[in-house]
Coordinates of all heavy atoms in Angstrom, one line a residue:
N1 N -3.9 8.5 -11.5 CA -4.6 7.3 -10.8 C -3.9 6.0 -11.3 O -3.9 5.8 -12.5 CB -6.1 7.4 -11.1 CG -6.8 6.3 -10.4 OD1 -6.7 5.1 -10.8 ND2 -7.6 6.6 -9.5
L2 N -3.4 5.3 -10.4 CA -2.7 4.0 -10.8 C -3.6 3.0 -11.4 O -3.2 2.3 -12.3 CB -2.0 3.5 -9.6 CG -1.1 2.2 -9.8 CD1 0.0 2.5 -10.9 CD2 -0.5 1.7 -8.5
R3 N -4.8 2.9 -10.9 CA -5.8 1.9 -11.4 C -6.0 2.1 -12.9 O -6.0 1.2 -13.7 CB -7.1 1.9 -10.7 CG -8.0 0.8 -11.2 CD -9.3 0.7 -10.3 NE -10.1 -0.3 -10.9 CZ -10.1 -1.6 -10.7 NH1 -9.1 -2.1 -10.0 NH2 -10.9 -2.4 -11.3
R4 N -6.2 3.4 -13.3 CA -6.5 3.7 -14.7 C -5.3 3.4 -15.6 O -5.4 2.9 -16.7 CB -6.8 5.2 -14.9 CG -8.3 5.4 -15.1 CD -8.6 6.9 -15.4 NE -8.8 7.5 -14.0 CZ -8.3 8.7 -13.7 NH1 -7.7 9.4 -14.5 NH2 -8.5 9.1 -12.4
L5 N -4.1 3.7 -15.1 CA -2.9 3.3 -15.8 C -2.7 1.8 -16.0 O -2.4 1.4 -17.1 CB -1.6 3.9 -15.1 CG -0.3 3.6 -15.8 CD1 -0.3 4.2 -17.1 CD2 0.8 4.2 -14.9
V6 N -3.0 1.1 -15.0 CA -2.9 -0.4 -15.1 C -4.0 -0.9 -16.1 O -3.7 -1.8 -16.9 CB -3.1 -1.1 -13.7 CG1 -3.3 -2.6 -13.9 CG2 -1.9 -0.7 -12.8
D7 N -5.2 -0.3 -16.1 CA -6.2 -0.7 -17.1 C -5.6 -0.5 -18.5 O -5.8 -1.3 -19.4 CB -7.5 0.1 -16.9 CG -8.4 -0.4 -15.8 OD1 -8.3 -1.6 -15.5 OD2 -9.2 0.4 -15.3
E8 N -5.0 0.7 -18.7 CA -4.4 1.0 -20.0 C -3.3 0.0 -20.4 O -3.3 -0.5 -21.6 CB -3.9 2.4 -20.1 CG -5.0 3.5 -20.0 CD -4.4 4.9 -19.8 OE1 -3.2 5.1 -20.1 OE2 -5.1 5.7 -19.3
V9 N -2.5 -0.3 -19.5 CA -1.4 -1.3 -19.8 C -1.9 -2.6 -20.1 O -1.5 -3.3 -21.1 CB -0.4 -1.3 -18.6 CG1 0.5 -2.5 -18.7 CG2 0.4 0.0 -18.5
L10 N -2.9 -3.1 -19.4 CA -3.5 -4.4 -19.6 C -4.2 -4.5 -21.0 O -4.1 -5.4 -21.7 CB -4.5 -4.8 -18.5 CG -3.8 -5.0 -17.1 CD1 -4.9 -5.4 -16.1 CD2 -2.7 -6.0 -17.1
K11 N -4.9 -3.4 -21.3 CA -5.6 -3.3 -22.6 C -4.5 -3.4 -23.7 O -4.7 -4.1 -24.7 CB -6.4 -2.0 -22.7 CG -7.1 -1.9 -24.0 CD -7.9 -0.6 -24.0 CE -8.5 -0.4 -25.4 NZ -9.2 0.9 -25.5
D12 N -3.5 -2.6 -23.6 CA -2.4 -2.6 -24.6 C -1.8 -3.9 -24.8 O -1.5 -4.4 -25.9 CB -1.4 -1.5 -24.3 CG -1.9 -0.1 -24.5 OD1 -2.9 0.1 -25.1 OD2 -1.2 0.8 -24.0
L13 N -1.5 -4.6 -23.7 CA -0.9 -6.0 -23.8 C -1.9 -7.0 -24.4 O -1.5 -7.8 -25.2 CB -0.4 -6.4 -22.4 CG 0.8 -5.7 -21.9 CD1 1.1 -6.1 -20.5 CD2 2.0 -6.1 -22.8
R14 N -3.2 -6.9 -24.1 CA -4.2 -7.8 -24.7 C -4.1 -7.6 -26.2 O -4.1 -8.5 -27.0 CB -5.6 -7.5 -24.2 CG -5.8 -8.1 -22.8 CD -7.3 -7.9 -22.4 NE -7.5 -8.2 -21.0 CZ -7.6 -7.4 -20.0 NH1 -7.6 -6.1 -20.3 NH2 -7.7 -7.8 -18.8
N15 N -4.1 -6.3 -26.6 CA -4.1 -6.0 -28.1 C -2.8 -6.5 -28.7 O -2.8 -6.9 -29.8 CB -4.2 -4.5 -28.3 CG -5.6 -4.0 -27.9 OD1 -6.6 -4.7 -27.9 ND2 -5.7 -2.7 -27.6
H16 N -1.7 -6.3 -28.0 CA -0.4 -6.8 -28.5 C -0.4 -8.3 -28.8 O 0.0 -8.7 -29.9 CB 0.7 -6.4 -27.5 CG 2.0 -7.1 -27.7 ND1 2.9 -6.6 -28.7 CD2 2.6 -8.2 -27.2 CE1 4.0 -7.4 -28.7 NE2 3.8 -8.3 -27.8
F17 N -0.8 -9.0 -27.8 CA -0.8 -10.5 -28.0 C -1.9 -10.9 -29.1 O -1.6 -11.9 -29.8 CB -1.0 -11.2 -26.7 CG 0.2 -11.2 -25.8 CD1 0.4 -10.3 -24.8 CD2 1.3 -12.1 -26.1 CE1 1.5 -10.3 -24.0 CE2 2.4 -12.1 -25.4 CZ 2.6 -11.2 -24.3
T18 N -3.0 -10.2 -29.1 CA -4.0 -10.6 -30.1 C -3.5 -10.2 -31.5 O -3.7 -11.0 -32.5 CB -5.3 -9.8 -29.9 OG1 -5.8 -10.1 -28.6 CG2 -6.4 -10.1 -30.9
A19 N -2.8 -9.1 -31.7 CA -2.3 -8.7 -33.0 C -1.2 -9.7 -33.5 O -1.0 -9.9 -34.7 CB -1.7 -7.3 -32.9
R20 N -0.5 -10.4 -32.5 CA 0.5 -11.4 -32.9 C -0.1 -12.7 -33.2 O 0.6 -13.7 -33.4 CB 1.5 -11.5 -31.8 CG 2.3 -10.2 -31.6 CD 3.3 -10.3 -30.5 NE 4.3 -11.4 -30.7 CZ 5.1 -11.8 -29.8 NH1 5.1 -11.3 -28.6 NH2 5.9 -12.8 -30.1
G21 N -1.5 -12.8 -33.2 CA -2.2 -14.0 -33.5 C -2.2 -15.0 -32.3 O -2.4 -16.2 -32.5
Q22 N -1.8 -14.6 -31.1 CA -1.8 -15.5 -30.0 C -3.1 -15.4 -29.2 O -3.6 -14.3 -28.9 CB -0.7 -15.1 -29.0 CG 0.7 -15.3 -29.7 CD 1.8 -14.8 -28.8 OE1 1.6 -13.9 -27.9 NE2 3.0 -15.3 -29.0
R23 N -3.7 -16.5 -29.0 CA -5.0 -16.5 -28.3 C -4.7 -16.1 -26.8 O -3.6 -16.3 -26.3 CB -5.7 -17.8 -28.3 CG -4.9 -18.9 -27.7 CD -5.6 -20.3 -27.7 NE -4.8 -21.3 -27.3 CZ -4.7 -21.6 -26.0 NH1 -5.3 -21.0 -25.0 NH2 -3.9 -22.6 -25.6
E24 N -5.7 -15.5 -26.2 CA -5.5 -15.1 -24.8 C -5.5 -16.3 -23.9 O -6.6 -16.9 -23.7 CB -6.5 -14.1 -24.4 CG -6.2 -13.4 -23.1 CD -7.1 -12.2 -22.8 OE1 -7.4 -11.4 -23.8 OE2 -7.5 -12.0 -21.7
R25 N -4.4 -16.7 -23.4 CA -4.3 -17.9 -22.6 C -4.1 -17.6 -21.1 O -4.2 -18.4 -20.2 CB -3.2 -18.9 -23.0 CG -1.9 -18.2 -23.0 CD -0.8 -19.1 -23.5 NE 0.5 -18.5 -23.6 CZ 1.3 -18.3 -22.5 NH1 0.9 -18.6 -21.3 NH2 2.4 -17.7 -22.6
V26 N -3.9 -16.3 -20.9 CA -3.7 -15.8 -19.5 C -4.8 -14.8 -19.2 O -4.9 -13.8 -19.9 CB -2.3 -15.2 -19.3 CG1 -2.1 -14.7 -17.9 CG2 -1.2 -16.2 -19.7
E27 N -5.5 -14.9 -18.1 CA -6.5 -14.0 -17.7 C -5.7 -12.8 -16.9 O -4.9 -13.1 -16.0 CB -7.5 -14.6 -16.8 CG -8.6 -13.7 -16.4 CD -9.6 -14.4 -15.5 OE1 -9.7 -15.6 -15.5 OE2 -10.4 -13.6 -14.8
L28 N -6.0 -11.6 -17.3 CA -5.4 -10.5 -16.7 C -6.4 -9.7 -15.8 O -7.6 -9.6 -16.2 CB -4.9 -9.5 -17.8 CG -3.9 -10.1 -18.8 CD1 -3.5 -9.0 -19.8 CD2 -2.6 -10.6 -18.0
S29 N -6.0 -9.3 -14.6 CA -6.8 -8.7 -13.7 C -6.2 -7.5 -13.1 O -5.0 -7.5 -12.8 CB -7.2 -9.7 -12.6 OG -7.9 -9.1 -11.5
N30 N -7.0 -6.4 -12.8 CA -6.5 -5.2 -12.2 C -7.1 -5.2 -10.8 O -8.2 -4.9 -10.6 CB -6.9 -4.0 -13.0 CG -6.4 -2.7 -12.4 OD1 -5.8 -2.7 -11.3 ND2 -6.6 -1.6 -13.1
G31 N -6.2 -5.4 -9.8 CA -6.6 -5.4 -8.4 C -6.2 -4.2 -7.7 O -6.2 -4.1 -6.4
V32 N -5.9 -3.1 -8.4 CA -5.4 -1.9 -7.7 C -6.7 -1.1 -7.3 O -7.6 -0.9 -8.1 CB -4.6 -1.0 -8.7 CG1 -4.2 0.3 -8.1 CG2 -3.3 -1.7 -9.1
D33 N -6.7 -0.6 -6.0 CA -7.8 0.1 -5.5 C -7.9 1.4 -6.3 O -7.0 2.1 -6.7 CB -7.5 0.5 -4.0 CG -8.7 1.1 -3.3 OD1 -8.9 2.3 -3.6 OD2 -9.3 0.4 -2.5
A34 N -9.2 1.8 -6.6 CA -9.5 3.0 -7.4 C -9.0 4.3 -6.7 O -8.7 5.2 -7.4 CB -11.0 3.1 -7.6
A35 N -8.8 4.3 -5.4 CA -8.3 5.5 -4.7 C -6.8 5.5 -4.6 O -6.3 6.5 -4.1 CB -9.0 5.5 -3.3
F36 N -6.1 4.5 -5.1 CA -4.7 4.5 -5.0 C -4.0 5.5 -5.9 O -4.2 5.5 -7.1 CB -4.1 3.1 -5.3 CG -2.7 2.8 -4.8 CD1 -2.5 2.1 -3.7 CD2 -1.6 3.3 -5.5 CE1 -1.3 1.8 -3.2 CE2 -0.3 3.1 -5.0 CZ -0.2 2.3 -3.8
E37 N -3.3 6.5 -5.3 CA -2.6 7.5 -6.0 C -1.1 7.3 -5.9 O -0.6 6.8 -4.9 CB -3.0 8.9 -5.5 CG -4.4 9.3 -5.7 CD -4.8 9.5 -7.1 OE1 -3.9 9.9 -7.9 OE2 -6.0 9.3 -7.5
L38 N -0.4 7.7 -6.9 CA 1.1 7.5 -6.9 C 1.7 8.7 -7.6 O 1.3 9.1 -8.7 CB 1.4 6.2 -7.7 CG 2.9 5.8 -7.7 CD1 3.4 5.5 -6.3 CD2 3.1 4.6 -8.6
D39 N 2.7 9.3 -7.0 CA 3.4 10.4 -7.5 C 4.7 9.9 -8.2 O 5.7 9.7 -7.5 CB 3.7 11.4 -6.4 CG 4.4 12.7 -7.0 OD1 4.2 13.0 -8.2 OD2 5.1 13.3 -6.2
A40 N 4.6 9.6 -9.5 CA 5.7 9.1 -10.2 C 5.5 9.5 -11.7 O 4.4 9.7 -12.2 CB 5.8 7.5 -10.1
P41 N 6.6 9.5 -12.4 CA 6.5 9.9 -13.9 C 5.7 8.8 -14.6 O 6.0 7.6 -14.6 CB 8.0 9.9 -14.4 CG 8.8 10.1 -13.1 CD 8.0 9.4 -12.0
R42 N 4.6 9.2 -15.2 CA 3.7 8.3 -15.9 C 4.4 7.4 -17.0 O 4.1 6.2 -17.1 CB 2.5 9.1 -16.5 CG 1.5 8.2 -17.1 CD 0.3 9.1 -17.7 NE -0.6 8.3 -18.4 CZ -1.6 7.6 -17.8 NH1 -1.8 7.7 -16.5 NH2 -2.5 6.9 -18.5
D43 N 5.3 8.0 -17.7 CA 5.9 7.3 -18.8 C 6.8 6.2 -18.3 O 6.8 5.1 -18.8 CB 6.7 8.2 -19.8 CG 7.8 9.1 -19.1 OD1 7.6 9.3 -17.8 OD2 8.7 9.5 -19.7
L44 N 7.6 6.5 -17.2 CA 8.4 5.4 -16.6 C 7.6 4.3 -16.0 O 8.0 3.2 -16.0 CB 9.4 6.1 -15.7 CG 10.4 7.1 -16.2 CD1 11.3 7.7 -15.1 CD2 11.2 6.4 -17.3
L45 N 6.6 4.7 -15.3 CA 5.7 3.8 -14.6 C 5.0 2.9 -15.7 O 4.9 1.7 -15.5 CB 4.7 4.5 -13.8 CG 3.9 3.6 -12.8 CD1 4.8 2.8 -11.9 CD2 2.9 4.5 -12.0
T46 N 4.6 3.4 -16.8 CA 4.0 2.7 -17.9 C 5.0 1.6 -18.4 O 4.6 0.4 -18.6 CB 3.5 3.6 -19.0 OG1 2.6 4.5 -18.5 CG2 3.0 2.8 -20.2
I47 N 6.2 2.0 -18.6 CA 7.2 1.1 -19.1 C 7.5 0.0 -18.1 O 7.5 -1.2 -18.5 CB 8.6 1.8 -19.4 CG1 8.4 2.7 -20.6 CG2 9.7 0.8 -19.7 CD1 9.5 3.7 -20.8
A48 N 7.6 0.3 -16.8 CA 7.8 -0.7 -15.8 C 6.7 -1.7 -15.7 O 6.9 -2.9 -15.6 CB 8.1 0.0 -14.4
L49 N 5.5 -1.1 -15.6 CA 4.3 -2.0 -15.6 C 4.2 -2.9 -16.8 O 3.9 -4.1 -16.6 CB 3.0 -1.2 -15.4 CG 2.8 -0.6 -14.1 CD1 1.6 0.5 -14.1 CD2 2.5 -1.6 -13.0
T50 N 4.4 -2.4 -17.9 CA 4.3 -3.2 -19.2 C 5.3 -4.3 -19.1 O 5.0 -5.4 -19.5 CB 4.5 -2.3 -20.4 OG1 3.5 -1.3 -20.5 CG2 4.5 -3.1 -21.7
N51 N 6.5 -4.0 -18.8 CA 7.6 -5.1 -18.7 C 7.2 -6.1 -17.7 O 7.4 -7.3 -17.9 CB 8.9 -4.4 -18.4 CG 9.5 -3.7 -19.6 OD1 9.1 -4.0 -20.8 ND2 10.3 -2.7 -19.4
L52 N 6.8 -5.7 -16.5 CA 6.5 -6.7 -15.4 C 5.3 -7.6 -15.9 O 5.4 -8.8 -15.7 CB 6.1 -5.9 -14.1 CG 7.2 -5.3 -13.4 CD1 6.7 -4.4 -12.3 CD2 8.1 -6.4 -12.8
V53 N 4.3 -7.0 -16.4 CA 3.1 -7.8 -16.8 C 3.4 -8.7 -18.0 O 3.1 -9.9 -18.0 CB 1.9 -6.9 -17.0 CG1 0.7 -7.8 -17.5 CG2 1.5 -6.2 -15.8
K54 N 4.1 -8.2 -19.0 CA 4.5 -8.9 -20.1 C 5.4 -10.1 -19.7 O 5.2 -11.3 -20.2 CB 5.3 -8.1 -21.1 CG 5.6 -8.8 -22.5 CD 6.2 -7.8 -23.4 CE 6.5 -8.5 -24.7 NZ 7.3 -7.7 -25.7
N55 N 6.4 -9.9 -18.8 CA 7.2 -11.0 -18.3 C 6.4 -12.1 -17.6 O 6.6 -13.3 -17.7 CB 8.3 -10.5 -17.4 CG 9.4 -9.7 -18.2 OD1 9.5 -9.8 -19.4 ND2 10.1 -9.0 -17.5
A56 N 5.4 -11.6 -16.8 CA 4.5 -12.5 -16.1 C 3.7 -13.4 -17.1 O 3.6 -14.6 -16.9 CB 3.6 -11.8 -15.1
I57 N 3.2 -12.7 -18.1 CA 2.4 -13.5 -19.1 C 3.2 -14.5 -19.8 O 2.8 -15.7 -20.0 CB 1.8 -12.5 -20.1 CG1 0.7 -11.6 -19.5 CG2 1.2 -13.2 -21.3 CD1 0.3 -10.4 -20.4
E58 N 4.4 -14.1 -20.2 CA 5.3 -15.0 -20.9 C 5.8 -16.2 -20.0 O 6.2 -17.2 -20.5 CB 6.5 -14.3 -21.5 CG 6.0 -13.4 -22.7 CD 7.1 -12.4 -23.2 OE1 8.2 -12.3 -22.6 OE2 6.8 -11.8 -24.2
A59 N 5.8 -16.0 -18.7 CA 6.3 -17.0 -17.8 C 5.2 -18.1 -17.6 O 5.6 -19.2 -17.1 CB 6.6 -16.4 -16.4
V60 N 4.0 -17.8 -17.9 CA 2.9 -18.8 -17.7 C 3.0 -19.8 -18.9 O 2.9 -19.4 -20.1 CB 1.5 -18.1 -17.7 CG1 0.4 -19.2 -17.6 CG2 1.4 -17.2 -16.5
E61 N 3.2 -21.0 -18.6 CA 3.4 -22.0 -19.7 C 2.1 -22.4 -20.4 O 2.1 -22.5 -21.7 CB 4.1 -23.2 -19.2 CG 5.5 -22.9 -18.7 CD 6.3 -24.1 -18.3 OE1 5.9 -25.3 -18.6 OE2 7.3 -24.0 -17.6
E62 N 1.1 -22.7 -19.7 CA -0.2 -23.2 -20.4 C -1.2 -22.1 -20.3 O -1.3 -21.3 -21.2 CB -0.7 -24.4 -19.6 CG 0.2 -25.6 -19.7 CD 0.1 -26.4 -21.1 OE1 -1.0 -26.4 -21.6 OE2 1.1 -26.9 -21.5
S63 N -2.0 -22.1 -19.3 CA -3.0 -21.0 -19.1 C -2.9 -20.6 -17.6 O -2.4 -21.4 -16.8 CB -4.4 -21.5 -19.4 OG -4.7 -22.6 -18.6
G64 N -3.3 -19.4 -17.3 CA -3.1 -19.0 -16.0 C -3.8 -17.6 -15.7 O -4.6 -17.1 -16.5
F65 N -3.3 -17.0 -14.7 CA -3.9 -15.8 -14.2 C -2.8 -14.8 -13.8 O -1.9 -15.2 -13.0 CB -4.8 -16.1 -13.0 CG -5.6 -15.0 -12.5 CD1 -6.8 -14.6 -13.1 CD2 -5.2 -14.4 -11.3 CE1 -7.6 -13.6 -12.6 CE2 -6.0 -13.3 -10.8 CZ -7.2 -13.0 -11.5
V66 N -2.9 -13.6 -14.2 CA -1.9 -12.5 -13.8 C -2.7 -11.4 -13.2 O -3.6 -10.8 -13.9 CB -1.0 -12.0 -14.9 CG1 -0.2 -10.8 -14.5 CG2 -0.1 -13.2 -15.4
S67 N -2.5 -11.0 -12.0 CA -3.2 -9.9 -11.3 C -2.2 -8.9 -10.9 O -1.2 -9.2 -10.3 CB -4.0 -10.5 -10.1 OG -4.7 -9.4 -9.5
V68 N -2.6 -7.6 -11.2 CA -1.7 -6.5 -10.7 C -2.4 -5.9 -9.5 O -3.6 -5.5 -9.5 CB -1.6 -5.4 -11.8 CG1 -0.8 -4.2 -11.3 CG2 -1.0 -6.0 -13.1
V69 N -1.7 -5.9 -8.4 CA -2.2 -5.3 -7.2 C -1.1 -4.4 -6.6 O 0.1 -4.5 -7.0 CB -2.5 -6.4 -6.1 CG1 -3.7 -7.2 -6.5 CG2 -1.3 -7.2 -5.7
A70 N -1.5 -3.4 -5.8 CA -0.5 -2.4 -5.3 C -0.8 -2.2 -3.9 O -2.0 -2.1 -3.5 CB -0.5 -1.2 -6.1
E71 N 0.2 -2.0 -3.1 CA 0.0 -1.6 -1.7 C 1.2 -0.8 -1.2 O 2.3 -0.9 -1.8 CB -0.2 -2.8 -0.8 CG 1.0 -3.7 -0.8 CD 0.8 -5.0 0.0 OE1 -0.2 -5.6 -0.1 OE2 1.7 -5.3 0.8
E72 N 1.0 0.1 -0.3 CA 2.1 0.8 0.3 C 2.9 -0.1 1.2 O 2.4 -0.9 1.9 CB 1.6 2.0 1.1 CG 0.9 3.0 0.2 CD 0.4 4.2 1.0 OE1 1.1 4.7 1.9 OE2 -0.7 4.6 0.8
S73 N 4.2 0.1 1.2 CA 5.1 -0.7 2.0 C 4.8 -0.4 3.5 O 4.8 0.8 3.8 CB 6.5 -0.5 1.7 OG 7.4 -1.1 2.6
A74 N 4.8 -1.4 4.3 CA 4.6 -1.1 5.8 C 5.9 -0.7 6.4 O 5.8 -0.1 7.5 CB 4.0 -2.4 6.4
T75 N 7.0 -0.9 5.8 CA 8.3 -0.7 6.4 C 9.0 0.5 5.8 O 9.9 1.1 6.5 CB 9.2 -1.9 6.4 OG1 9.4 -2.2 5.0 CG2 8.6 -3.0 7.1
E76 N 8.7 0.9 4.6 CA 9.4 2.0 4.0 C 8.4 3.1 3.6 O 7.4 2.8 2.9 CB 10.2 1.5 2.7 CG 11.2 0.5 3.0 CD 12.4 1.1 3.7 OE1 12.7 2.3 3.5 OE2 13.1 0.4 4.5
E77 N 8.8 4.3 3.9 CA 8.0 5.4 3.4 C 8.2 5.7 2.0 O 9.3 5.5 1.5 CB 8.3 6.7 4.2 CG 7.4 7.8 4.0 CD 7.7 9.0 5.0 OE1 7.9 8.7 6.2 OE2 7.6 10.1 4.5
D78 N 7.2 6.1 1.2 CA 7.3 6.3 -0.2 C 7.7 5.1 -1.0 O 8.5 5.3 -2.0 CB 8.2 7.5 -0.5 CG 7.8 8.8 0.2 OD1 6.5 9.0 0.3 OD2 8.6 9.6 0.5
T79 N 7.3 4.0 -0.6 CA 7.6 2.7 -1.4 C 6.3 2.1 -1.8 O 5.4 1.9 -1.1 CB 8.4 1.8 -0.5 OG1 9.6 2.4 -0.1 CG2 8.8 0.5 -1.2
L80 N 6.3 1.6 -3.1 CA 5.2 0.9 -3.7 C 5.6 -0.5 -3.9 O 6.7 -0.8 -4.4 CB 4.8 1.6 -5.0 CG 3.8 0.8 -5.9 CD1 2.4 0.8 -5.2 CD2 3.8 1.4 -7.3
V81 N 4.7 -1.4 -3.5 CA 4.9 -2.9 -3.7 C 3.9 -3.3 -4.7 O 2.7 -3.2 -4.5 CB 4.8 -3.7 -2.4 CG1 5.0 -5.1 -2.7 CG2 5.8 -3.1 -1.3
L82 N 4.4 -3.9 -5.9 CA 3.5 -4.4 -6.9 C 3.6 -5.9 -6.9 O 4.6 -6.5 -6.7 CB 3.9 -3.9 -8.3 CG 3.6 -2.4 -8.6 CD1 4.2 -2.0 -9.9 CD2 2.1 -2.2 -8.5

């Protein structure tokens, strides 16, 4: 389930930034539908999600909001848009 995986990634990143002594200045949100299923290697998807969200957090200069959402591509079969 993609939503559960995103929850885990967001939790790990919160812990990562807290352990480094950085206050949470970016609000993280999981907007993935609970029914969204994805057939992909979990380990590779975890790495990709972690990198995308970490880069988004680091790109926010002051304070902000990062939301992870997913949808199927309307034009390509078997394509995920994050």
Side-chain angles (χ1 to χ4, degrees):
N1 180 291
L2 184 59
R3 182 172 178 85
R4 256 184 275 140
L5 179 60
V6 171
D7 279 337
E8 292 172 19
V9 167
L10 296 182
K11 180 181 175 186
D12 288 346
L13 285 170
R14 283 185 190 104
N15 291 339
H16 168 78
F17 284 101
T18 299
R20 293 178 61 192
Q22 297 175 332
R23 63 180 174 82
E24 193 170 319
R25 58 183 179 74
V26 177
E27 184 178 341
L28 302 176
S29 170
N30 183 351
V32 177
D33 188 288
F36 198 100
E37 294 292 332
L38 184 64
D39 183 25
R42 184 178 174 84
D43 56 339
L44 297 178
L45 192 53
T46 299
I47 292 168
L49 285 169
T50 299
N51 288 335
L52 285 170
V53 175
K54 187 176 179 187
N55 289 344
I57 292 169
E58 291 173 349
V60 175
E61 293 186 17
E62 296 280 327
S63 63
F65 187 81
V66 172
S67 180
V68 178
V69 295
E71 62 185 46
E72 293 181 44
S73 173
T75 58
E76 296 290 329
E77 192 172 317
D78 298 331
T79 301
L80 170 69
V81 179
L82 288 173

